[in-house]
Amino acid sequence: MASSDFDGILLGMGNPLLDVSAVVDQEFLNKYDIKLNNAILAEDKHLPMYDEMSKKFNVEYIAGGATQNSIKVAQWMLQIPGATSYMGSIGKDKYGEAMKKDATAAGVNVHYYEDESTPTGTCGVCVMGGERSLIANLSAANCYKVEHLKKPENWALVEKAKFYYIAGFFLTVSPESIQLVREHAAANNKVFTMNLSAPFICEFFKDVQEKCLPYMDYVFGNETEARTFSRVHGWETDDVEQIAIKISQLPKATGTYKRTTVITQGADPVVVAEDGKVKKYPVIPLPKEKLVDTNGAGDAFVGGFLSQLVHGKAIEECVRAGCYASNVVIQRSGCTYPEKPDFN
């Protein structure tokens, strides 16, 4: 394919958040009732935590948000300017400006909705022993409106794309927008992908998630999310391989593509289910002392995976690229990467 064929080939939609990241202690986790390897929406009790983090610990501010991370990593892996686009909602403030600058520098074509009255969303990233916990204060990210998507200059991004990726987190914000995109994908034989994203999405947004499932050609997630999905659906199994198969066999809206389930398990092999069969792919081993934090590891995996999927590569190549990207990201703070990938 010529590089012009990749123009806007991959579109992401989600919640753009500024990561407020710090290595914290157990006392802090206990105080705010935070569990490692989890992702939640901030409640009132969490709101003082962002300030306290910046006073108590060494805080880094990193452009984040699950879908935005994945799209940036895919863009980095592709090294073709403008191959990816992204939509979401930010505030008209310095954090929003910083995010726009960061994403644009990464080569992503961002079309943000800018909310006049609400600050840009933030995500507290609490790191301990390399494991992360995410507490998202959506703010402006929660204000995305389907009207923005329908504007001709934004809908043009949907028309141009051939692959779509939306993290499950966006289900809490604009299910109407997701509906328009998934129906466009189905009607035009394009590839629609989503992520389970967090146990709370599988549990408390089960109904909106279920409306999207028939349209998902690829379902991403990690082992904790897969097990929550299984429990919520009454499957009575904790076996990740069985769950992956069951998800891949749920009804499809169209027969154009079979559904593929891709479940990561931290340092354990990646589980891929398609056609009623499971394949497992080992991840790149990393000595414990090289692990900085797991923030963005799953997002990076998806970004790497999608960078090869849009090239029409075989699933093992997609997984290999996903493992490469996540291996790079976990050796750095947040979802960041060097200037050029070293993937062949």
Side-chain angles (χ1 to χ4, degrees), residues 44-79:
D44 288 348
K45 67 177 180 187
H46 297 113
L47 296 180
M49 139 187 155
Y50 303 90
D51 257 358
E52 189 177 332
M53 277 174 83
S54 59
K55 289 195 182 83
K56 246 190 194 167
F57 307 107
N58 185 13
V59 164
E60 286 184 273
Y61 296 91
I62 309 160
T67 307
Q68 185 164 246
N69 284 342
S70 296
I71 295 297
K72 275 165 55 184
V73 169
Q75 179 62 48
W76 172 67
M77 291 284 287
L78 283 163
Q79 292 288 310

Side-chain angles (χ1 to χ4, degrees), residues 141-269:
N142 205 27
C143 301
Y144 190 82
K145 304 280 184 285
V146 72
E147 290 73 39
H148 178 261
L149 175 64
K150 288 176 175 171
K151 284 187 174 165
E153 65 273 26
N154 299 326
W155 188 254
L157 299 181
V158 179
E159 296 270 355
K160 193 157 48 168
K162 296 183 177 70
F163 295 82
Y164 306 90
Y165 175 64
I166 301 175
F169 296 119
F170 202 53
L171 288 166
T172 76
V173 173
S174 187
E176 312 78 32
S177 299
I178 301 176
Q179 184 179 351
L180 288 182
V181 172
R182 72 184 188 227
E183 287 177 354
H184 170 85
N188 295 278
N189 296 333
K190 296 175 175 185
V191 178
F192 183 77
T193 71
M194 284 193 77
N195 203 311
L196 300 178
S197 287
F200 86 87
I201 297 286
C202 302
E203 196 148 10
F204 303 113
F205 292 87
K206 176 176 178 252
D207 295 351
V208 276
Q209 189 182 57
E210 282 194 334
K211 288 197 176 82
C212 290
L213 268 159
Y215 293 86
M216 295 183 206
D217 299 308
Y218 288 82
V219 178
F220 297 97
N222 68 24
E223 74 281 37
T224 317
E225 295 149 10
R227 288 184 175 124
T228 304
F229 188 95
S230 171
R231 177 172 57 76
V232 167
H233 287 79
W235 288 350
E236 294 183 358
T237 178
D238 261 350
D239 181 325
V240 172
E241 294 178 38
Q242 287 306 310
I243 297 165
I245 288 178
K246 280 176 166 297
I247 291 174
S248 72
Q249 291 173 334
L250 289 168
K252 285 283 268 99
T254 75
T256 312
Y257 309 104
K258 294 187 171 121
R259 183 181 300 109
T260 304
T261 317
V262 185
I263 306 294
T264 58
Q265 311 186 87
D268 293 327

